[in-house]
Structures are given as C-alpha cells and as structure tokens.
Amino acid sequence: MKIERVHVHQALLPVVGGAYRMSHTTVEALDSTLVEVVTDDGRSGWGETCPLGPVYQPHHALGARAAIEQIAPGLVGTEIDSPRAFARRMDGLLAGHGYAKAALDTAVLDLLGQQLGVPVSTLLGGALVDRVPSYYSVIVGDPDASAASAAAKVAEGYRRVQLKVGGRDLDHDVENVRAVWAAIRGRARLAVDANRAMTAAHALQFDRLCADVPFAFEQPCDTVEEMESLRGRLVHPVYLDETTTDPGVVLRAIAGGTADGFSFKVTRLGGPTRAAFVRDLCALRSVPHTIDDAWGGDVIAATCAHVASTVDPRLLEGTWIAADWIDGHVDPEHPVEVRDGRIAVPQGPGLGVRPDRDRLTELATYG
Ligand code: 0XW
Ligand code: MG
C-alpha cells in the first residue's frame, strides 16, 4: 500500500454556548486540521489535530499545517509498512512537531486497520472494553453555576468531574471547589485543573485551603521545574497535563515521583502510537491517567476512544472529548459522543469514522 496523495482539510468548530473558559484563555471557535492520506489501492485514512487556540500549549493550527506541508511531499510515493517505520520516516523529514505528526500517525493506523480488517485498537495492543468512561470538564465560573453543571452531568452518568480553576483570587476558586464537591460527593470523583496558572506558592496555599476535599490537582504550575518543586509538599495527588510534552518527560515524572497521574493529550504525545508507549510506561508503575485531546471532532474523539480502550480499566481516569461543545459531527453516520457518561469505541476496521468532505474545507493537496 503506497501513499498517492495527502489532502489537508479544515473544520471550523464554534464552541456551543459561546465560550470555553480556562484560567488563562477563553476560546470561542476552534480551527481543526484533518489529514486524509490516500493510497494506491483506493483507501483513505484520516487523522486530526486541533490545538485549543494558540496559548493553551505551544501548538497552533497554522503551525500544524506548516509542519504537514513540510512533511507530506516526502511521504508521497512511499510504502506504508508499519506505524514505527512511518514515524521514523516523518522524523527524517522534520524534527519535533509531534502534534502535527499525530494526525498522520492516526491516518496510517486507520489505513493499516482497514487493510487488515481490524480496528485501530487492535493495532495498539487490543481493546479491553467496548465503552470507555468519559469525564466532564466544568469551566471557570461561579459556585452556583459550576455546582449545577457538575450535578447535571453526574446525573447524566459521568463518574468524574474536572473543575477548571486559576486566573483569579484563590478564595473564589476555593469556594467553587467546595460547591462542586458538595454537589457531586459520593457519586463522582473530582479533578481540579489550573491549566498552569498558579505560582508554586499559590498552589501550596490552594492545596492547604482545600485539604479536606479529595481531588486530583492537575497542572497547577507552568514549568516542569515548578512542578518538581512541589514534590512531597502537597496534600492532593498531582497530575501533569501540559508539561507532558513527550514520552521522555513522562518517564522522568514517573521515575522521579513528581506525578501521581497524568492527563494525556494524544496529539501532544505525537499520536496514538506514542500514546500506547506511554500507556505501557504508566502500567509498569500503576500510574492512573486520562486519554484525551485538547479539542477536535469525531476523528480525534475516535482516536482517543481506541487508545483508551486499550488501557487497563483500573488505570483509566477517563476520556474527555469535545462533542458536548461542538454542534454536529463531521461523520453524522458514526458520531462519537458521550452517552450515560461513556463513549462507545467505534467499530473498525480502522478508526471507524469517515468524515463527510462536504462538511470540511479542503486547504491543500500533496501528490
Ligand atoms: C479538559 N480538557 C481535556 C479539555 C480542554 O481542552 C482542556 C483539557 C485539560 O485538561 O486541560
Ligand atoms: Mg488539563
């Protein structure tokens, strides 16, 4: 199976409700990039990468497309042998830029799955479940609204809630944490995510002020060094998200005891192939983690569901997908969505989703 062409498509995804608020940024519409890799035997494999705006982490939509433009011409005419050989080929065309390569890695897994007649999860080691738990992310807001939204989602079936904090005075956030916990206590677990907004001093204070509320404290500070400075000083377990920029950082955090868990983003890790590697690192030390992405439509949601289905259920904290914040689906026939707090893993072969090209804008073709 040889690559004949690579198409780059765009999906513009306005946020349902107008805005998604985190500590340092509010997004109103997301710019998603989809790749379609067409082979000489007439198959199309799909992948997606969708940075959460330009400041959530050092990723942006134009950067993803520039990286793909750098890589794609060198892929045309080459044989698809294995995901690892393909990753090496991409690394030989461009260093770094894992979040762009992630879309191509996904597309190749989709193609190999179709060729072999198996779902992507089988190529990643094999699904252990056919539905994966999701979790709901409550945006930065006021206690009444946050508690009401958390309670409503738990009533729908979610068993984990993530509350966004940061970017305002600590007391306000402490009040919010208490209100949300009172609303879900006994029915769901809680994670509190500052998205890098706190200083180490603020993180220490916040941790003490909420010492009686059990939650996983997600990425309070910006840098690996700040996070390392908190080791052994917090009451709450610490989960790393934005600083897990590659498998090496994950290895160091596990070995050094700086993380009790992770909130992984598949594209940030470089795609499903690398995410499966990191899954296995976590399994060695029984470290819990999510498998999600920062944003994206059905293709990313399907990708995350396939990877998550291969994680030991004891260690899987859940899979967040953006479906609740997106109006409609790029694959209306096989929409990936949360039902009763869980996501059905699409049935293969391949990814099990086929975007409708009429819902996308084609931006470039290579080959
Ligand atoms: C909750 N998420 C998975 C969705 C938002 O994109 C941010 C992210 C996170 O945990 O930071
Ligand atoms: Mg996070």
Side-chain angles (χ1 to χ4, degrees), residues 22 56 135 162 164 193-195 218-219 240-242 263 265 268 292:
M22 294 174 292
Y56 170 67
Y135 66 94
Q162 181 206 59
K164 299 290 191 191
D193 187 4
N195 289 110
E218 187 171 323
Q219 197 71 49
L240 297 183
D241 182 351
E242 286 92 326
S263 189
K265 305 292 173 273
R268 183 173 59 228
D292 7 274

Side-chain angles (χ1 to χ4, degrees), residues 4-340:
E4 217 168 63
R5 285 188 315 280
V6 178
H7 299 282
V8 177
H9 306 268
Q10 179 187 42
L12 290 173
L13 308 172
V15 175
V16 168
Y20 184 85
R21 286 183 66 202
M22 294 174 292
S23 55
H24 51 73
T25 182
T26 298
V27 290
E28 284 159 13
L30 285 310
D31 180 351
S32 191
T33 302
L34 289 94
V35 296
E36 179 188 4
V37 177
V38 180
T39 55
D40 58 354
D41 54 1
R43 289 181 222 274
S44 279
W46 289 85
E48 182 177 10
T49 188
C50 182
L52 182 52
V55 298
Y56 170 67
Q57 56 194 349
H59 299 172
H60 65 131
L62 297 177
R65 297 201 274 268
I68 293 165
E69 185 175 347
Q70 181 71 37
I71 299 167
L75 300 176
V76 173
T78 62
E79 192 71 36
I80 296 179
D81 18 42
S82 74
R84 297 182 73 203
F86 184 73
R88 280 171 62 86
R89 192 167 305 130
M90 288 200 288
D91 288 345
L93 293 162
L94 177 68
H97 298 82
Y99 73 105
K101 292 173 178 170
L104 293 159
D105 177 47
T106 306
V108 159
L109 287 167
D110 187 17
L111 286 165
L112 287 168
Q114 290 174 43
Q115 189 189 39
L116 298 169
V118 298
V120 163
S121 56
T122 299
L123 301 174
L124 298 172
L128 299 171
V129 291
D130 54 18
R131 291 204 295 170
V132 293
S134 186
Y135 66 94
Y136 190 77
S137 179
V138 176
I139 57 178
V140 170
D142 294 325
D144 289 349
S146 299
S149 141
K153 291 296 167 180
V154 171
E156 272 178 33
Y158 284 89
R159 290 292 163 263
R160 185 180 195 258
V161 170
Q162 181 206 59
L163 175 65
K164 299 290 191 191
V165 295
R168 57 188 188 172
D169 64 275
L170 287 184
D171 290 343
H172 206 154
D173 280 328
V174 171
E175 229 189 298
N176 236 22
V177 167
R178 292 194 179 289
V180 167
W181 182 239
I184 67 168
R185 183 182 183 144
R187 294 182 296 149
R189 307 187 311 287
L190 182 63
V192 172
D193 187 4
N195 289 110
R196 307 187 282 118
M198 293 183 181
T199 62
H202 280 152
L204 287 165
Q205 283 173 332
F206 180 80
D207 178 73
R208 295 291 189 286
L209 289 167
C210 305
D212 56 319
V213 181
F215 59 78
F217 197 4
E218 187 171 323
Q219 197 71 49
C221 304
D222 186 23
T223 62
V224 172
E225 291 76 11
E226 287 161 280
M227 291 304 304
E228 286 180 351
S229 78
L230 296 174
R231 183 174 42 209
R233 299 165 78 196
L234 297 177
V235 174
H236 296 95
V238 175
Y239 280 34
L240 297 183
D241 182 351
E242 286 92 326
T243 49
T244 55
T245 47
D246 64 73
V249 178
V250 177
L251 180 64
R252 175 174 157 152
I254 294 175
T258 26
D260 301 294
F262 297 98
S263 189
F264 286 136
K265 305 292 173 273
V266 172
T267 53
R268 183 173 59 228
L269 290 168
T273 302
R274 293 229 163 105
F277 173 68
V278 160
R279 166 203 67 195
D280 293 340
L281 286 181
C282 288
L284 285 175
R285 291 280 182 93
S286 301
V287 178
H289 59 88
T290 71
I291 290 287
D292 7 274
D293 224 303
W295 210 269
D298 292 307
V299 173
I300 282 207
T303 308
C304 292
H306 279 286
V307 178
S309 72
T310 69
V311 175
D312 177 350
R314 183 176 72 103
L315 300 181
L316 181 64
E317 287 276 5
T319 292
W320 182 92
I321 60 173
D324 274 337
W325 302 88
I326 296 172
D327 193 11
H329 293 270
V330 292
D331 182 350
E333 277 179 39
H334 312 98
V336 183
E337 50 201 5
V338 183
R339 288 255 166 91
D340 306 325

